[in-house]
Amino acid sequence: MVVGGCGHVGLPLGIVLASKGLFVTSYDINETVVAQVNAGRMPFDEPGAGDLLRRVLDSGHFTASDDPSVVSDAEHVVVVIGTPVDEHLNPDPSAVVSAIANISKHFRDGQHLVLRSTIYPGVTQLVEDLMTAQGLSIDVSFCPERIAEGKALEELESLPQIISGRSPKSLGRARSLFSNLTNNLIETVPEEAELAKLFTNTWRYIKFATANQFFMIANDYGLDFERIRHAITSDYPRAADMPGPGFAAGPCLFKDTMQLAAFNNNNFALGHASMLVNEGLPLYLVSRLERQYDLKKMTVGILGMAFKGESDDTRSSLSYKLRRILEFKAHRVICADSNVKHDPRLVSERVLLDESDIIIIGTPHARYRKLAVSKPVIDVWNTQGNGTKV
Ligand SMILES: NC(=O)c1ccc[n+]([C@@H]2O[C@H](COP(=O)([O-])OP(=O)(O)OC[C@H]3O[C@@H](n4cnc5c(N)ncnc54)[C@H](O)[C@@H]3O)[C@@H](O)[C@H]2O)c1
């Protein structure tokens, strides 16, 4: 049973476990997506997931439901609801706890409750306390999800699973559930696993910020960072993982860095500096363009609105921040992304290419590698292989 089971993480997990022969119910409060999933349609793009969903529905191993009472039938209850930060960048440590409290009347003694959302440190303990306070004898474990969207099906089985539980029994039950995915299980105590997940995402966010800052330094000096990065990383293993510049956004890295900052009493200079650099990249690009072009007379096109290549997910995408800035600065801003279906303000990619005076690539979709246009293309991602200089 997966709570939040029709989301980007819950649904792939549910259908992969169902494909291993387990009987899985995805419980979700969103009735529309529940109906869509039961009809065999994925609510978002995830390679390979549509076919697998239809297979496990047909085999009778998988179903979705918006009825919380399905919780009482489950041996394992995996909670993977969203855990965003609010508009003031504060995490809500009670989000997961309240979601569980709301359905706790359906729990019964002897069940295994797995927290899988990325949680604020200490939430596992809060959930254990909640179960005790409600007089329930439930084994609680925290087993964070580490897949990347777009690679969910492959990574659910290829990545090691970090599993944690306070008692040998809860750890043993986590072991038995996740050994359906892999034998590569890494065992920790819950507090280590909570920090492991936040450190993982924050580490990535800081690396992207470093690359973005290097890009700005080189660019302000009149140099192309991509040429420098090539020189640094070529046949030099110690720097091989230096990323290129780009919009570091999406539903995880930024908010998990901010969760970690809040956890450390906002004493996280490196995390906050990374946030300023990554979130500042759209402003930096616009300020560079203002020096070269009279934006007030131009139509600027943003090509790519999803937060990453080949995705349809626009959550926390910096293309939208770029659009807001340009709406102040340019004569007209038009945006396109044929992956993204839910935004009525988007124009077609053809219209964007025809009507823009200047084009900014907001998302490195592979189809943008070769654009047949003779207009200036701003490509901080180096999607087109012409360098990153702006
Ligand atoms: N998206 C990723 O790539 C990714 C990767 C690793 C970990 N995570 C973490 O996994 C968690 C889920 O992220 P997501 O991207 O799948 O979010 P999501 O918004 O795509 O999915 C969450 C789902 O939970 C449902 N939901 C919300 N409250 C509920 C409740 N009280 N009861 C039942 N269902 C409820 C929503 O309707 C939604 O379908 C977050 O903590 C996130 O940080 C996400």
Side-chain angles (χ1 to χ4, degrees), residues 97-165:
V97 186
S98 340
I100 293 171
N102 287 342
I103 54 172
S104 63
K105 66 172 184 224
H106 303 293
F107 282 102
R108 51 177 176 75
D109 285 345
Q111 287 181 308
H112 174 214
L113 174 58
V114 183
L115 308 178
R116 183 88 167 154
S117 302
T118 304
I119 53 176
Y120 191 78
V123 165
T124 310
Q125 180 71 62
L126 286 179
V127 171
E128 289 166 335
D129 294 347
L130 173 74
M131 293 296 113
T132 309
Q134 307 230 348
L136 285 159
S137 172
I138 300 256
D139 297 311
V140 177
S141 59
F142 172 59
C143 308
E145 182 59 82
R146 294 196 294 169
I147 54 164
E149 285 177 32
K151 295 185 176 167
L153 262 49
E154 169 202 330
E155 290 191 347
L156 271 167
E157 294 186 59
S158 63
L159 294 181
Q161 294 289 331
I162 296 176
I163 60 169
S164 72

Side-chain angles (χ1 to χ4, degrees), residues 213-234:
Q213 181 99 72
F214 287 171
F215 155 72
M216 294 181 213
I217 292 170
N219 199 61
D220 285 344
Y221 197 47
L223 296 176
D224 186 341
F225 174 58
E226 189 48 35
R227 287 179 57 80
I228 300 170
R229 191 174 79 98
H230 173 73
I232 295 169
T233 54
S234 293

Side-chain angles (χ1 to χ4, degrees), residues 9 102 382:
V9 161
N102 287 342
N382 194 29

Side-chain angles (χ1 to χ4, degrees), residues 29 71 89 137 157-158 201 272 320-321 344 366 380 390:
I29 50 173
V71 168
L89 307 181
S137 172
E157 294 186 59
S158 63
N201 279 0
H272 283 126
Y320 282 84
K321 185 168 189 171
V380 69
V390 179

Side-chain angles (χ1 to χ4, degrees), residues 2-10 27-30 33 44 80-84 95 98-100 102-103 116-119 144-149 197 201 251-252 255-256 259 307-308 313 315:
V2 183
V3 179
C6 292
H8 290 79
V9 161
Y27 162 63
D28 203 292
I29 50 173
N30 185 332
V33 288
F44 47 85
V80 67
I81 65 165
T83 49
S98 340
I100 293 171
N102 287 342
I103 54 172
R116 183 88 167 154
S117 302
T118 304
I119 53 176
E145 182 59 82
R146 294 196 294 169
I147 54 164
E149 285 177 32
K197 175 63 199 183
N201 279 0
C252 292
K255 67 105 176 158
D256 290 342
Q259 290 211 79
F307 86 87
K308 70 173 183 178
D313 192 347
R315 290 179 295 170

Side-chain angles (χ1 to χ4, degrees), residues 317-334:
S317 165
L318 285 174
S319 294
Y320 282 84
K321 185 168 189 171
L322 179 64
R323 172 163 84 181
R324 269 203 307 282
I325 299 165
L326 283 168
E327 277 167 349
F328 278 110
K329 307 274 188 178
H331 167 62
R332 181 176 170 230
V333 188
I334 50 178

